[in-house]
């Protein structure tokens, strides 16, 4: 982003307002707007941005500017008046539209017998097989038992679950379905695209293999097909309302950024920042909290040395006090993380009420399980704390904890929130696998990694919302650099996202998060 010293004050003002709306602007349009008198600039700019949002655009173009001026006004912009008045609507005047599409809380039983594990993996396999069979390039696939009967050097295609993965002179996989097992190799001289896919294959993932049968139980793959997200157009809101995404507050920790979080709450109330930031706060209708509200007690060895509040109930009392400061018209949706008072195994039920009673007493707060799928003004939003991101980031070469959005994209490609069983992430063998991503979201919101990042993948906005906890001793030892206090805010009408940095002396809106502390 350009520094203030390199642009005029007026140009900086225009760019800031455009970024606050989650948009970008062409240089030509920026030059024309800069020519306007300051007395009419705000009015003209507001109408232009309304036009861009109305056409669901992402960039303010010169064509958006010209039609707003009458012919005589084009010659004399000092007298410019916009032909159509558009009054901004406050989120306070808009009725919330929340529908809970999935919440695991009342569905969980958590068996532990051999039969429970079998049912769980059968459910995973059947669900992902159905998703794969919707793809054109999976048509013609047959069971592995039929592949084993085929003659050598015949072309084959089949769906199975990866039970083993080894890397040596290429990649070797053991893949099985409900009846049989087969070995698949991707040789080191294979096509680069296939090798890249092989690198990202995760154990216990369900894929389709296309290749040539080399011997009785060996197939050389020429393609690995993931369930993936199809190219599609997601549904967005018909009103301009915003959702603020946060996670990993860690109330109770000595490293909790209380001053910055209180500043964030003042902003939500329209009492922090310059006028453009207060107008933006007035458009926020939803606050989505993706887990780790508290630091917890006894979560890791030596945690007691890093606690400012060593009582779990008191930690949640403080959380409830903070959330009571959120304006009543903002709907708050909360799910648990691995530090919260819920079972550790996924899926997690909602935070246990006996520890967080004051939280349940807030009228505008909904406490749901992890993961959950909600519709906000018609925008399907998948909320998942993100515990399994640890497994993905440590097992796939080239991925980094500083880029959790890439790992989240991979979870969308495999259509599962925690594909690897038996790693750091505990998964309960429920009768049904509720971690399969069956219903595609428009927004995929996660946390856990403490680094704010986002990206778009085939129409889906992927956002990891960072944290409100400064770097801990554990993170220092492991070389993890968090990016706390930087909040993503999503326009549900355009799915454009911007960040506000609450660590800086004066609030600043950014299209991309900073890479380090200021």
């Amino acid at each position: 982003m350009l520094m203030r010293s390199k642009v005029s004050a007026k140009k900086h003002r225009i760019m800031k307002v455009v970024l606050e709306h989650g948009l970008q602007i062409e240089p030509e349009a920026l030059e024309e707007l800069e020519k306007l008198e300051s007395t009419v600039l705000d009015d003209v700019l507001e109408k232009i941005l309304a036009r861009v949002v109305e056409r669901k655009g992402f960039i303010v173009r010169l064509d958006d500017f010209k039609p707003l001026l009458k012919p005589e006004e084009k010659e004399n912009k000092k007298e410019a008046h916009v032909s159509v008045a558009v009054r901004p609507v406050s989120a306070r005047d808009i009725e919330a539209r929340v529908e809970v599409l999935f919440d695991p809380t009342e569905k969980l039983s958590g068996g532990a017998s051999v039969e429970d594990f079998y049912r769980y993996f059968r459910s995973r396999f059947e669900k992902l097989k159905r998703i794969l069979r919707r793809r054109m390039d999976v048509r013609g696939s047959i069971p592995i038992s039929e592949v084993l009967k085929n003659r050598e050097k015949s072309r084959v295609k089949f769906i199975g679950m990866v039970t083993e993965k080894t890397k040596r002179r290429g990649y070797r996989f053991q893949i099985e379905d409900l009846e049989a097992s087969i070995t698949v190799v991707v040789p080191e001289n294979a096509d680069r695209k296939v090798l890249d896919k092989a690198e990202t294959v995760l154990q216990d993932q369900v894929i389709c293999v296309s290749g040539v049968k080399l011997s009785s139980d060996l197939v050389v793959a020429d393609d690995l097909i993931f369930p993936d997200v199809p190219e599609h157009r997601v549904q967005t809101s018909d009103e301009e309302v915003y959702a603020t995404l946060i996670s990993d507050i860690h109330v109770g920790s000595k490293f909790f950024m209380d001053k910055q979080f209180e500043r964030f709450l003042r902003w939500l109330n329209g009492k922090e920042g310059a006028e453009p930031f207060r107008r933006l706060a007035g458009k926020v209708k939803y606050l989505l909290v993706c887990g780790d509200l508290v630091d917890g007690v006894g979560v890791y060895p030596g945690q007691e040395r890093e606690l400012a509040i060593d009582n779990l109930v008191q930690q949640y009392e403080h959380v409830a006090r903070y959330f009571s400061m959120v304006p009543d018209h903002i709907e708050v949706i909360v799910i648990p993380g691995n530090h919260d008072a819920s079972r550790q195994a996924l899926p997690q039920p909602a935070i246990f009420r006996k520890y967080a009673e004051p939280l349940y007493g807030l009228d505008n707060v909904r406490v749901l399980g992890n993961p959950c799928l909600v519709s906000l003004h018609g925008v399907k939003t998948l909320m998942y704390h993100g515990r399994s991101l640890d497994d993905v980031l440590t097992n796939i070469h080239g991925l980094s904890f500083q880029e959790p959005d890439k790992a989240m994209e991979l979870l969308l490609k495999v259509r599962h929130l925690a594909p690897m069983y038996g790693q750091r992430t505990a998964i309960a063998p429920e009768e049904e696998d509720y971690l399969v991503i069956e219903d595609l979201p428009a927004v995929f919101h996660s946390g856990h990694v403490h680094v704010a990042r986002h990206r778009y993948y085939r129409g889906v906005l992927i956002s990891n919302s960072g944290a409100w906890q400064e770097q801990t001793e554990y993170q220092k030892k492991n070389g993890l650099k968090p990016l706390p206090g930087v909040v993503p805010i999503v326009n549900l009408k355009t799915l454009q996202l911007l960040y506000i940095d609450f660590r800086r002396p004066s609030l600043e809106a950014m299209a991309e998060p900073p890479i380090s502390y200021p």
Side-chain angles (χ1 to χ4, degrees):
M1 194 170 70
L2 295 175
M3 301 296 292
R4 293 191 185 203
S5 59
K6 295 182 180 180
V7 297
S8 69
K10 186 185 291 184
K11 184 176 289 187
H12 180 79
R13 177 174 152 202
I14 295 167
M15 291 168 62
K16 178 180 283 191
V17 174
V18 170
L19 280 174
E20 287 165 3
H21 283 73
L23 304 174
Q24 299 180 26
I25 185 168
E26 287 183 340
E28 296 82 1
L30 181 60
E31 290 177 8
E32 287 298 312
L33 282 169
E34 193 180 12
K35 295 175 184 176
L36 291 175
E37 289 293 317
S38 297
T39 54
V40 299
L41 177 59
D42 287 344
D43 195 36
V44 174
L45 186 55
E46 186 174 297
K47 277 68 175 182
I48 290 173
L49 296 178
R51 288 175 63 90
V52 176
V53 169
E54 185 65 30
R55 65 173 172 80
K56 296 188 177 181
F58 302 135
I59 300 175
V60 178
R61 306 186 187 283
L62 191 58
D63 291 342
D64 295 309
F65 173 74
K66 291 181 178 179
L68 291 177
L69 300 179
K70 297 175 183 178
E72 64 273 15
E73 292 167 345
K74 292 179 184 178
E75 297 178 5
N76 185 8
K77 294 186 178 63
K78 292 182 180 181
E79 302 296 326
H81 297 285
V82 177
S83 56
V84 180
V86 180
R87 288 183 59 85
V89 179
S90 169
R92 190 178 295 276
D93 303 320
I94 297 175
E95 185 177 352
R97 285 152 48 191
V98 180
E99 182 181 0
V100 179
L101 303 177
F102 171 74
D103 175 15
T105 302
E106 300 301 326
K107 300 178 180 292
L108 306 179
S109 58
S113 69
V114 173
E115 184 63 25
D116 291 327
F117 279 94
Y118 174 75
R119 279 198 300 264
Y120 171 77
F121 278 103
R122 183 187 181 99
S123 170
R124 175 188 292 202
F125 179 75
E126 293 289 2
K127 284 187 174 188
L128 290 168
K129 183 173 73 171
R130 284 196 296 271
I131 294 172
L132 273 163
R133 286 194 177 280
R134 296 173 195 156
R135 295 180 58 108
M136 293 290 292
D137 51 2
V138 174
R139 291 187 176 181
S141 61
I142 60 177
I144 292 176
S145 59
E146 294 298 317
V147 174
L148 295 173
K149 296 176 186 177
N150 274 21
R151 68 183 186 277
E152 293 181 7
K153 297 185 180 179
S154 61
R155 289 205 57 79
V156 294
K157 188 182 292 185
F158 56 92
I159 296 172
M161 181 179 292
V162 178
T163 57
E164 293 181 31
K165 173 185 177 181
T166 56
K167 183 178 180 181
R168 184 181 180 187
R169 296 180 181 177
Y171 296 86
R172 188 180 187 92
F173 304 97
Q174 199 65 29
I175 297 181
E176 65 180 40
D177 59 14
L178 300 176
E179 299 175 349
S181 176
I182 198 167
T183 301
V184 174
V185 296
V186 178
E188 59 186 344
N189 61 350
D191 182 271
R192 172 44 57 185
K193 290 182 179 179
V194 182
L195 286 167
D196 288 344
K197 284 185 180 181
E199 171 59 40
T200 61
V201 169
L202 298 164
Q203 189 164 313
D204 304 317
Q205 177 184 342
V206 177
I207 62 175
C208 177
V209 176
S210 174
V212 176
K213 183 180 179 184
L214 198 62
S215 64
S216 61
D217 63 348
L218 179 65
V219 170
V220 177
D222 53 35
D223 198 8
L224 304 173
I225 303 167
F226 291 12
D228 215 335
V229 175
E231 293 285 358
H232 69 300
R233 187 183 183 91
V234 299
Q235 181 177 339
T236 56
S237 170
D238 56 0
E239 296 181 278
E240 187 186 357
V241 293
Y242 286 70
T244 299
L245 314 180
I246 66 171
S247 64
D248 299 274
I249 308 172
H250 289 275
V251 171
S253 168
K254 288 181 179 178
F255 301 98
F256 167 52
M257 300 165 64
D258 56 339
K259 292 181 174 56
Q260 290 83 353
F261 193 69
E262 289 166 7
R263 194 175 180 211
F264 163 69
L265 293 170
R266 287 198 301 274
W267 171 75
L268 282 179
N269 281 277
K271 298 178 180 179
E272 183 75 28
E275 184 57 31
F277 288 95
R278 299 187 183 206
R279 285 202 305 267
L280 179 60
K283 296 179 181 180
V284 174
K285 191 66 186 175
Y286 305 103
L287 173 60
L288 309 183
V289 189
C290 245
D292 281 2
L293 282 70
V294 299
D295 205 48
V297 176
V299 178
Y300 56 89
Q303 185 188 20
E304 64 278 1
R305 295 191 298 271
E306 298 185 347
L307 289 177
I309 305 172
D310 61 5
N311 181 284
L312 189 58
V313 172
Q314 291 177 9
Q315 289 181 4
Y316 280 109
E317 287 174 351
H318 278 73
V319 169
R321 281 196 208 102
Y322 281 125
F323 282 11
S324 69
M325 301 177 193
V326 175
D328 292 342
H329 68 274
I330 295 179
E331 291 286 321
V332 183
I333 299 177
V334 168
I335 68 171
N338 56 295
H339 281 251
D340 283 301
S342 179
R343 78 174 188 184
Q344 287 298 293
L346 294 176
Q348 291 180 281
I351 295 169
F352 297 143
R353 187 164 191 149
K354 68 176 182 178
Y355 296 103
E357 183 64 40
L359 194 62
Y360 280 85
L362 299 176
D363 291 338
N364 61 332
V365 175
R366 296 176 190 238
V367 187
L368 304 178
N370 171 40
C372 71
L373 182 68
V374 294
S375 172
L376 309 173
H377 260 71
V379 180
K380 289 182 180 178
T381 302
L382 176 60
M383 297 177 63
Y384 168 56
H385 176 63
R387 184 70 175 91
S388 63
L389 295 176
D390 288 347
D391 298 329
V392 176
L393 291 166
T394 54
N395 279 277
I396 301 300
H397 177 73
L399 293 185
S400 162
F401 277 86
Q402 300 305 122
E403 297 177 312
D405 51 314
K406 290 184 178 180
M408 292 172 67
E409 180 182 304
L410 183 55
L411 295 184
L412 285 181
K413 288 179 179 179
V414 306
R415 297 291 288 271
H416 200 281
L417 292 173
M420 305 183 74
Y421 203 93
Q423 302 283 320
R424 298 184 188 181
T425 307
I427 302 173
E430 300 291 335
E431 290 188 7
E432 184 178 345
D433 188 350
Y434 298 114
L435 302 176
V436 175
I437 305 173
E438 296 183 272
D439 200 351
L440 287 177
V443 178
F444 178 19
H445 173 209
S446 194
H448 184 66
V449 184
H450 291 211
V451 176
R453 295 276 298 188
H454 82 283
R455 64 176 44 224
Y456 295 89
Y457 180 67
R458 295 189 172 180
V460 180
L461 167 60
I462 298 169
S463 176
N464 195 294
S465 53
W468 294 94
Q469 184 185 41
E470 292 179 326
Q471 189 179 39
T472 64
E473 292 301 320
Y474 172 81
Q475 290 170 336
K476 287 179 182 177
K477 290 177 184 177
N478 289 273
L480 302 177
K481 297 180 180 179
L483 183 60
V486 178
V487 178
I489 301 156
V490 183
N491 182 340
L492 295 181
K493 189 168 185 175
T494 64
L495 293 192
Q496 288 297 292
L497 181 146
L498 62 92
Y499 296 88
I500 297 181
D501 192 341
F502 287 90
R503 305 166 304 169
R504 297 179 182 273
S506 60
L507 298 187
E508 184 171 340
M510 301 163 287
E512 297 288 339
I515 59 175
S516 63
Y517 286 97

